[in-house]
Amino acid sequence: PKVEHHRPASTGGLPVESAMEADKCNSFWDIPGMKAGVITGDVAWNLLRFAKAKQFSIPAFNCTSTGSVNAVLEAGRDLQRPVIIQFSEGGSAFFAGKSLPNKDKQASILGAVAGAQYVRGVAAAYGIPCLVHSDHCAKKLLPWFDGMLEIDEKFFKATGEPLFSSHMLDLSEEPHEENIAICVQYFQRMAKINLILEMEIGITGGVEDGVDNSGVSNDKLYSTPEEVWQVYEALSPISEKFTIAAAFGNVHGVYKPGNVVLRPELLASFQEHAEKKLGREKPLFFVFHGGSGSEKDKIDAARKSGVVKMNVDTDTQWAYWDGIRKFYKAKEGYLQGQIGNPEGEDKPNKSYYDPRKWMREAEVSMRDRVKESCMDLKNSNCKEVVIVGWGPVGHTFLSKLLEKGKGKFSCTVISEESYPAYNRVKLTSFFQHRDPNALSMSSLEWCVKNGVKLIFGRAAGINREAKSVEICIQGADSKCTVTYDELVLATGSKPFVPPTPGLDVTVPGVHVYRTIDDLFAITERAKTAKKAAIIGGGLLGLEAAKAAYDLKLETHILEMAPHLMPVQLDAEAGGMLKAKVEALGPIVHTGVKILEIQSGETGVTGVKISEGGQEIVLQVDMVICSAGVRPRQELAEAAGLELGSRGGVKVDGQMCSADPHVYAVGEIASLNGGMCYQLSAPGYTQAEVLAEKLSDPSAKTVFTGADLSTKLKLLGVDVASFGGDSDFWFKRQYMCDDASVVKNLVAKDEGGGKYKKLVFSPDGKKLLGGILVGDISDFTKLTAVTKRPDIGGVTPEELLAGKMPKVEDGGDGTNLGDDDLVCNCHCVKKSVIRKAIEAGAHDFAEIKKCTKAGTGCGTCISTGPQPKLLAFTLNKLGVKKGCCPSLPFDAEDIEDLAKARQIKTYEGLLDDVGYAPAAAPSDQQALGGVLDRISGKPKGEGMDHVSQLKALSADLWKFIDKVNCNPILLRLAWHDAGTYDKSKTAFPDRGGANGSIIFDPEINHGANNGLNKAVKYLEPFKADYPLVSWADVIQMAGAVAIEHCGGPKVAMKYGRKDVSGPEGCPGRQSRGTADNAGLPDAFAGGNGQYACGATDPSTHLRNIFYRMGFDDRAIVALSGAHTIGRAFKERSGTVAEGYGEANACPYTKAQPRGCPIRHDQKPGVGMPGGKSWTTKWLKFDNEYFQDHVYKETDPNLFWASTDKALHQDEEFKKYFMLYREDQSAFFADFAVAMKTLSELGAEWEPAEGITL
């Protein structure tokens, strides 16, 4: 049937009188002759000209079936953009049928022609232009090319155009002159029928193209300007319609970023060379092969240098398979036979194994990957959206916009902080792990994958007329400007610092509590501080108090209101919270007035307060101000945007400001000029509303207000308040005693520290809200009741006693209906989570990814109904996951759930989070180790000393493999042992490997900065294996860390004794080396001397290591351990690079290199930042001794004075050069030296030690 399809109306392009003016069009639809369907000749060429002028590239996708062709066309239709469909020689043969004979390439010819005819038959129906192309043709494949060209000529004779739009000749295996000569010969034929030629020079093809590049010289990977110009000179007299696939490191088959260095700047140099010859700008048309797996910034650079086409093959092959893989994973129980599935033994499965079902999933997955490629290449009709602020709400908006926009938007995010968006709700947990990654909600990889441009810097100004934002680039004395179609302000809030005399954040010891950097600063101050005062007893104040408490500081909480948490709790609940908090240790002062912050030479010395009518001074050396927040409105105010009455940007219900192209979400958004919501949940709802609005301008969704229900664990105390609507808080119903307005019921257990207050309508028929202290297990269910019109047939007294109204929950045991919320933070209904599980999200991580549920405070998992829902649904689906069917979770998840819910038994787990009908006698055996751990039984209980050591070694390996903490564990081991002084004989005065480093003051010595994080890592292992000393745990961790990252196995001996306490620590100057307890310095001090008194680094190293008994060879071998690890500004002050992506050097960034690369080629996942000695600092080898490191030709590598000494001092140098040439010699010497170091100063039990 004939398909009528008309191009869209012109977008206002200029009339085009000649092909030379194609680049002046506003839209590709304005090109004369442009149509939906296959385009050829002048129309196709002018589309490539238009692409080069507008700096976008058209992706080309190798197709092997009608399904893959349809996926490409569907993506183009959705984006309303042109695409290129191409057929390789092997793919063409597959298209025709693998069983057909192909000796003379007859099947390949047939398949390519059939594919081109199929595209011609359907492409117009998709409403977009499409080019049909044949891919790499090596010399041995020329019969295939000849066959296609003959068909083109016949088609041209019959229709006036060729069947294909273009063909590629890949004769790069041949000498350059021969390559050109053959291409000239074919191009003369092609030009007669208006075909476009793509010619390859250098090496870009791979095995899949019939080209063997093994053993090819490196220079073939990079073309030269002269070679490119030769091609132009030979082909341009024939026709202008040719493109050049020049080589710039883009060889096929290299899919991991960094394996071959892409150099798109070469393309710019080729253009410059041609420009000088021809006198016109960017005269060349380039093609980018090997696009799969390429770094996004390299793609951008290539696109801007005249690349008009990019091949994408491997990524779409994976995407096609991934659609099938995910379908199988989700429907596994329905794909094991024609009959019988989780719904019944006699249930049919035809609707699941029907090829149309799973092949469609493959098409959809490939379609989405095609869209991603189009976005990467700017081949999209995208609006430019700029988001200022990459906090939780900014990130949520961004992810929602990308999800709903389906390729409509090109997004730029401006992040003032150096870290990916992180969860501020869990900020206090930072002190348990000291790892920003543990708080992260996103990553640099996520931005790259989703085509988001990320700029680390501060938005300095908005020009609303020009629709632009000026940015001060972080870490550089420079600015840049980005333009927008729509601007979204997600700048959040800043800490409120009351105008109290002396309260100044520039005073040492005065801190605010808002960001990761604030927490790092607090951690540093806590190393010398003993007492802290927290200003504020609300949510934020108690979070800060928990931080101070975790840092082992005497903690005073100062609250001006009569009780804690005055916004959320009534006086009685606040009083009970105070009692519970004080029982833990902190001292609570309520109803106080803060008069003055006192300070001296070292910073804060005290806080003067008025309490109970008396003025007193609290002697403290740290003050954390956490007295609330205020909207960060300076940027908006300077731009002239209307503000709210209480601050923030005034917005309507769709988050639009007075400027129709400027929006605000989160804590900066003042709804109708009134309330700025200072909780994450309202911000997430606003983000959803705005994403919907921008994706669909006709959307009617509005933000009218938010549920302010909150549940938190504050200083170990569970606290929650919940309400059906904002009136519960704004009208202070939770504090009302008027029986004509509310009915209050209270239950309290002062001995157990539990308080429960439910607030009803006066007639008791509707639950308005409530307060919970101590036990918040019913929070989700009670919150759901407040959303219903009545309390479902139970009495208020029964509800208070714990009896819930019966709800049809489908048998999952949650007592929640489909429309009830499971996750309050992100407003995720139970039905959404259930459907996600049914679609393949079979664990908490996948559910988070699909629905966001659990990514806020996380209590819908830790203490809420999500585990029970997951266990029920997995069993219903017949999916076997986790430890056992009744508890289908990983062991680690089960332990976390048990800890959060204080469950100690299998029965408790089954009742609270499991699926009881699936329980079996074998469950407890399967859960054996887990049940031991949740009951408080150490892993090593029942094992002898040797068995505990062996089990510990295995556990450490798994932990290091997961966390990539090799460098810090090695550093901990060395710094514990490195205090040894051979001139002393008594234990522990002689120092050495005795575990003293876990104690203050040693852990807080300058050289040990940051090692408390490593101690935190090892604390659970020490608890699990009590027979193993701290000294052994530390030294074993160092040895396992070395072996794990590819280094030698160290023949460790165990049985070290520990020091008894802090008195066993070496003094700060006990080894005559100032503040480093005998450890080496990186550089001399300001007086030109090292801490030991030496004036040159070689003498310094010998003073340190000779004191321990080492010789020069061992010094150089041990120093080679710098092949792993990095230095941070915050830890040593020896480098300018600090924590976070924006402060990193190229080898310590997460993107674009995917650094670091481990010895097993997996990417490391440590926190970005700092400066490394080597390029792959999680791989133990001899790179430290190589020329590119020690000759200091790379400014991005760290090289201290004590590193230089190793190749400058003649005695050191001979070993340094030995290790450069012979890695095995380095490994052998290092293993011996590390074993020796690990045994220095140790006392053994048994006396001969233990060898595993």
Side-chain angles (χ1 to χ4, degrees):
K2 183 179 179 182
V3 178
E4 292 289 343
H5 214 100
H6 303 283
R7 70 179 179 88
S10 168
T11 56
L14 297 171
V16 181
E17 301 299 332
S18 69
M20 292 298 289
E21 295 180 350
D23 57 357
K24 296 180 181 178
C25 298
N26 283 344
S27 165
F28 63 83
W29 288 113
D30 296 325
I31 296 171
M34 186 57 67
K35 64 177 183 177
V38 174
I39 58 173
T40 63
D42 291 343
V43 180
W45 183 249
N46 282 331
L47 176 61
L48 298 183
R49 183 185 295 281
F50 178 79
K52 186 172 70 166
K54 301 300 182 183
Q55 293 193 352
F56 72 88
S57 304
I58 306 174
F61 303 94
N62 279 59
C63 294
T64 58
S65 65
T66 57
S68 54
V69 168
N70 295 344
V72 175
L73 291 172
E74 184 179 349
R77 181 201 64 193
D78 290 351
L79 295 175
Q80 277 298 292
R81 299 297 293 185
V83 294
I84 299 174
I85 290 171
Q86 62 188 25
F87 300 96
S88 67
E89 184 271 330
S92 297
F94 186 88
F95 200 100
K98 288 292 286 184
S99 65
L100 292 179
N102 201 30
K103 181 180 178 183
D104 298 317
K105 304 304 174 188
Q106 62 268 42
S108 297
I109 297 167
L110 177 61
V113 171
Q117 290 281 18
Y118 176 75
V119 177
R120 281 187 170 272
V122 300
Y126 285 87
I128 56 163
C130 174
L131 283 77
V132 183
H133 177 75
S134 67
D135 203 12
H136 293 263
C137 179
K139 189 174 182 179
K140 63 186 177 184
L141 303 179
L142 284 176
W144 172 55
F145 196 94
D146 291 334
M148 290 186 291
L149 191 52
E150 287 175 16
I151 298 293
D152 276 313
E153 289 168 334
K154 290 178 181 178
F155 198 89
F156 185 87
K157 186 174 182 179
T159 67
E161 67 173 342
L163 176 64
F164 289 83
S165 308
S166 56
H167 294 294
M168 178 187 182
L169 283 170
D170 176 3
L171 305 172
S172 55
E173 285 186 301
E174 316 310 320
H176 186 59
E177 291 73 17
E178 183 180 351
N179 182 358
I180 292 176
I182 296 174
C183 286
V184 165
Q185 182 182 354
Y186 275 101
F187 194 34
Q188 287 169 340
R189 282 180 66 185
M190 294 172 68
K192 294 175 183 178
I193 57 174
N194 231 353
L195 268 170
I196 299 169
L197 170 67
E198 178 183 325
M199 176 187 174
E200 174 166 328
I201 58 174
I203 293 295
T204 67
V207 173
E208 66 271 39
D209 309 304
V211 179
D212 181 6
N213 291 324
S214 58
V216 70
S217 61
N218 188 264
D219 62 334
K220 293 284 282 182
L221 298 177
Y222 304 98
S223 301
T224 67
E226 291 74 23
E227 289 171 335
V228 174
W229 178 247
Q230 280 181 281
V231 171
Y232 183 87
E233 281 192 307
L235 298 183
S236 59
I238 303 170
S239 168
E240 67 172 344
K241 297 183 180 72
F242 65 92
T243 60
I244 304 172
F248 55 99
N250 51 322
V251 61
H252 282 200
V254 182
Y255 306 123
K256 181 182 287 295
N259 278 19
V260 168
V261 179
L262 288 177
R263 296 180 57 197
E265 68 273 11
L266 290 178
L267 299 177
S269 72
F270 302 158
Q271 293 281 20
E272 290 170 8
H273 187 79
E275 285 171 8
K276 291 175 183 178
K277 301 276 189 181
L278 298 171
R280 66 177 189 266
E281 187 179 0
K282 290 184 184 175
L284 306 176
F285 291 75
F286 291 122
V287 175
F288 185 165
H289 283 258
S292 291
S294 298
E295 299 99 320
K296 307 286 183 176
D297 62 329
K298 302 294 176 64
I299 292 175
D300 277 345
R303 176 177 52 78
K304 293 173 183 177
S305 296
V307 166
V308 294
K309 170 181 178 276
M310 185 177 89
N311 281 20
V312 183
D313 186 12
T314 308
D315 286 344
T316 44
Q317 286 175 344
W318 170 258
Y320 196 89
W321 155 246
D322 199 36
I324 299 172
R325 183 184 68 86
K326 288 178 178 176
F327 175 78
Y328 181 82
K329 184 180 177 184
K331 306 298 182 184
E332 185 173 359
Y334 298 83
L335 296 168
Q336 303 308 308
Q338 289 183 289
I339 303 293
N341 60 46
E343 297 177 23
E345 294 181 0
D346 59 347
K347 298 290 184 181
N349 296 320
K350 186 179 186 307
S351 62
Y352 296 96
Y353 62 74
D354 185 334
R356 291 172 294 180
K357 193 81 172 180
W358 48 267
M359 286 179 69
R360 177 56 185 160
E361 294 299 320
E363 289 176 9
V364 168
S365 181
M366 180 174 172
R367 174 202 67 193
D368 291 343
R369 185 59 184 84
V370 170
K371 287 182 181 180
E372 183 183 333
S373 293
C374 287
M375 297 291 289
D376 290 343
L377 296 170
K378 305 301 180 185
N379 182 36
S380 60
N381 299 311
C382 293
K383 275 191 170 183
E384 294 288 340
V385 178
V386 173
I387 301 111
V388 182
W390 198 23
V393 174
H395 177 69
T396 299
F397 164 72
L398 176 60
S399 58
K400 292 287 184 184
L401 185 69
L402 293 172
E403 175 190 328
K404 295 174 183 291
K406 297 178 180 177
K408 295 179 183 177
F409 303 101
S410 176
C411 298
T412 299
V413 177
I414 304 167
S415 176
E416 190 169 1
E417 292 193 64
S418 300
Y419 313 96
Y422 58 88
N423 191 341
R424 294 190 197 279
V425 175
K426 294 185 176 180
L427 198 59
T428 302
S429 68
F430 173 84
F431 293 99
Q432 298 168 16
H433 47 70
R434 312 288 172 89
D435 183 3
N437 285 320
L439 300 174
S440 179
M441 299 173 66
S442 186
S443 66
L444 280 298
E445 291 89 343
W446 182 89
C447 289
V448 171
K449 180 181 178 182
N450 287 281
V452 175
K453 183 178 181 181
L454 175 62
I455 301 175
F456 286 107
R458 178 179 59 83
I462 301 169
N463 184 329
R464 289 164 55 197
E465 184 176 348
K467 296 177 77 172
S468 66
V469 181
E470 184 181 60
I471 306 163
C472 295
I473 302 299
Q474 194 175 101
D477 187 20
S478 62
K479 294 181 179 180
C480 72
T481 299
V482 294
T483 58
Y484 64 84
D485 294 309
E486 313 293 346
L487 175 65
V488 178
L489 301 178
T491 50
S493 295
K494 59 185 177 183
F496 170 62
V497 180
T500 302
L503 187 56
D504 182 348
V505 293
T506 64
V507 173
V510 176
H511 302 275
V512 291
Y513 191 85
R514 183 68 179 171
T515 69
I516 286 176
D517 284 337
D518 292 336
L519 270 55
F520 274 125
I522 289 168
T523 303
E524 287 301 307
R525 180 70 179 184
K527 291 176 179 177
T528 56
K530 302 298 180 186
K531 301 178 182 180
I534 314 301
I535 298 177
L539 285 173
L540 295 174
L542 293 179
E543 287 283 323
K546 175 69 163 60
Y549 178 73
D550 285 346
L551 290 167
K552 304 188 181 346
L553 302 175
E554 180 184 301
T555 304
H556 294 263
I557 302 169
L558 312 179
E559 171 56 51
M560 290 178 283
H563 62 269
L564 294 176
M565 292 184 65
V567 176
Q568 289 83 16
L569 303 182
D570 61 11
E572 194 167 9
M576 181 166 286
L577 177 60
K578 176 182 177 182
K580 293 202 73 168
V581 168
E582 290 196 320
L584 293 171
I587 303 158
V588 179
H589 307 262
T590 55
V592 303
K593 184 176 181 181
I594 302 169
L595 303 175
E596 181 188 8
I597 308 300
Q598 299 177 346
S599 59
E601 289 184 6
T602 59
V604 171
T605 58
V607 180
K608 187 178 182 181
I609 63 173
S610 173
E611 183 177 22
Q614 291 188 329
E615 291 187 4
I616 59 173
V617 175
L618 301 174
Q619 302 296 327
V620 299
D621 31 24
M622 183 188 293
V623 170
I624 303 175
C625 185
S626 194
V629 293
R630 299 291 184 270
R632 290 193 63 187
Q633 63 193 44
E634 299 84 359
L635 186 67
E637 190 171 13
L641 291 170
E642 185 178 355
L643 304 180
S645 58
R646 290 184 283 179
V649 177
K650 182 180 178 181
V651 294
D652 61 19
Q654 291 195 309
M655 315 318 296
C656 187
S657 73
D659 184 323
H661 297 289
V662 180
Y663 302 83
V665 290
E667 298 174 36
I668 185 64
S670 170
L671 181 61
N672 298 319
M675 178 76 172
C676 285
Y677 291 87
Q678 305 296 341
L679 294 172
S680 56
Y684 297 149
T685 305
Q686 293 170 0
E688 179 95 30
V689 168
L690 180 54
E692 184 76 25
K693 159 73 176 173
L694 293 182
S695 301
D696 178 9
S698 65
K700 304 300 182 187
T701 311
V702 295
F703 177 75
T704 57
D707 183 356
L708 300 181
S709 300
T710 307
K711 53 179 173 176
L712 293 168
K713 185 180 283 289
L714 301 166
L715 283 161
V717 182
D718 288 312
V719 179
S721 66
F722 59 92
D725 57 43
S726 56
D727 282 352
F728 184 70
W729 291 276
F730 294 163
K731 295 184 178 180
R732 296 196 170 258
Q733 292 173 345
Y734 65 100
M735 297 182 71
C736 182
D737 293 323
D738 187 341
S740 67
V741 179
V742 297
K743 175 178 180 176
N744 293 320
L745 291 180
V746 174
K748 54 185 175 181
D749 173 8
E750 293 188 5
K754 297 177 182 178
Y755 177 84
K756 185 178 188 179
K757 179 179 184 177
L758 300 184
V759 182
F760 300 86
S761 58
D763 59 8
K765 292 182 178 179
K766 178 169 176 57
L767 180 64
L768 302 177
I771 297 169
L772 306 172
V773 177
D775 179 2
I776 64 170
S777 57
D778 287 337
F779 172 84
T780 302
K781 296 175 184 177
L782 288 171
T783 302
V785 175
T786 66
K787 312 298 182 187
R788 300 172 191 155
D790 57 49
I791 57 176
V794 300
T795 67
E797 289 74 17
E798 288 174 327
L799 196 61
L800 183 70
K803 183 178 181 181
M804 293 293 162
K806 187 61 183 170
V807 175
E808 178 50 53
D809 63 9
D812 58 30
T814 63
N815 204 44
L816 296 174
D818 269 1
D819 289 333
D820 288 332
L821 297 181
V822 169
C823 174
N824 281 68
C825 293
H826 288 278
C827 299
V828 186
K829 296 178 181 179
K830 188 180 88 167
S831 60
V832 172
I833 298 175
R834 189 191 69 248
K835 288 174 183 176
I837 299 169
E838 290 170 349
H842 292 164
D843 55 39
F844 297 127
E846 288 297 319
I847 292 171
K848 287 178 180 179
K849 195 180 299 181
C850 295
T851 70
K852 298 291 185 185
T855 61
C857 71
T859 55
C860 61
I861 298 174
S862 60
T863 58
Q866 199 183 132
K868 218 161 182 55
L869 176 60
L870 177 58
F872 171 83
T873 310
L874 288 177
N875 275 279
K876 184 180 177 184
L877 292 172
V879 175
K880 291 180 169 53
K881 284 281 290 183
C883 292
C884 58
S886 64
L887 291 163
F889 318 113
D890 292 338
E892 189 174 330
D893 285 335
I894 294 174
E895 290 182 48
D896 289 343
L897 291 170
K899 182 179 179 181
R901 297 164 190 254
Q902 298 181 325
I903 297 171
K904 303 291 185 185
T905 65
Y906 168 71
E907 292 74 21
L909 286 169
L910 200 61
D911 181 61
D912 217 51
V913 300
Y915 181 63
S922 59
D923 287 359
Q924 295 201 45
Q925 183 177 355
L927 291 163
V930 176
L931 296 177
D932 286 345
R933 289 191 289 280
I934 69 170
S935 67
K937 181 180 177 182
K939 271 188 180 182
E941 188 170 307
M943 298 182 184
D944 61 21
H945 193 177
V946 172
S947 298
Q948 285 197 11
L949 284 165
K950 290 179 178 178
L952 171 61
S953 179
D955 283 357
L956 284 170
W957 183 282
K958 293 175 188 174
F959 176 76
I960 292 169
D961 191 63
K962 177 181 178 182
V963 180
N964 291 307
C965 54
N966 312 62
I968 199 170
L969 293 182
L970 177 62
R971 183 168 162 242
L972 180 71
W974 281 25
H975 285 214
D976 189 43
T979 58
Y980 177 67
D981 185 343
K982 69 179 183 180
S983 69
K984 300 179 182 293
T985 56
F987 178 88
D989 184 52
R990 63 188 181 226
N994 56 31
S996 63
I997 198 167
I998 69 169
F999 296 111
D1000 185 20
E1002 187 176 347
I1003 192 63
N1004 289 321
H1005 286 175
N1008 295 333
N1009 204 336
L1011 286 180
N1012 45 14
K1013 179 178 177 178
V1015 174
K1016 284 279 186 185
Y1017 279 152
L1018 298 181
E1019 282 174 350
F1021 297 98
K1022 179 67 180 80
D1024 269 337
Y1025 300 103
L1027 296 181
V1028 183
S1029 67
W1030 260 112
D1032 276 357
V1033 171
I1034 291 168
Q1035 295 305 320
M1036 179 183 281
V1040 172
I1042 287 293
E1043 188 177 356
H1044 174 270
C1045 62
K1049 184 177 182 66
V1050 180
M1052 280 277 176
K1053 184 169 74 168
Y1054 298 102
R1056 298 169 185 81
K1057 291 182 181 180
D1058 284 338
V1059 298
S1060 57
E1063 66 279 1
C1065 294
R1068 288 184 180 271
Q1069 297 183 352
S1070 61
R1071 307 297 186 271
T1073 51
D1075 199 32
N1076 276 358
L1079 297 163
D1081 300 320
F1083 296 99
N1087 60 356
Q1089 292 187 343
Y1090 292 83
C1092 65
T1095 56
D1096 68 274
S1098 298
T1099 302
H1100 175 56
L1101 284 173
R1102 290 187 173 99
N1103 285 348
I1104 297 297
F1105 284 97
Y1106 283 11
R1107 184 208 71 215
M1108 293 186 251
F1110 289 111
D1111 59 16
D1112 287 354
R1113 186 172 192 138
I1115 292 173
V1116 180
L1118 288 171
S1119 298
H1122 278 144
T1123 199
I1124 65 170
R1126 19 173 202 171
F1128 288 94
K1129 176 183 178 181
E1130 291 86 349
R1131 290 185 188 170
S1132 64
T1134 57
V1135 297
E1137 291 78 7
Y1139 297 128
E1141 181 78 9
N1143 296 317
C1145 74
Y1147 304 115
T1148 61
K1149 285 179 180 288
Q1151 289 293 335
R1153 294 175 58 89
C1155 286
I1157 303 298
R1158 307 184 338 171
H1159 76 285
D1160 55 9
Q1161 296 305 304
K1162 294 179 183 178
V1165 294
M1167 179 182 67
K1171 197 167 191 176
S1172 54
W1173 281 264
T1174 60
T1175 61
K1176 296 179 181 178
W1177 50 267
L1178 276 180
K1179 179 181 180 181
F1180 196 96
D1181 56 17
N1182 68 340
E1183 186 187 353
Y1184 176 80
F1185 303 102
Q1186 300 307 312
D1187 289 10
H1188 68 277
V1189 177
Y1190 81 84
K1191 289 185 177 178
E1192 300 184 69
T1193 56
D1194 189 338
N1196 295 305
L1197 294 178
F1198 178 51
W1199 206 239
S1201 66
T1202 41
D1203 297 304
K1204 295 177 184 179
L1206 300 176
H1207 60 86
Q1208 292 175 345
D1209 179 277
E1210 289 302 319
E1211 289 302 311
F1212 286 152
K1213 185 176 181 179
K1214 60 186 180 183
Y1215 302 114
F1216 190 96
M1217 295 305 168
L1218 168 66
Y1219 300 151
R1220 182 186 69 171
E1221 302 302 326
D1222 189 345
Q1223 180 170 285
S1224 61
F1226 167 49
F1227 274 26
D1229 288 353
F1230 177 86
V1232 171
M1234 184 167 172
K1235 173 180 170 59
T1236 302
L1237 176 63
S1238 75
E1239 296 174 4
L1240 295 178
E1243 283 210 349
W1244 306 90
E1245 189 175 328
E1248 68 278 9
I1250 300 168
T1251 302
L1252 299 182

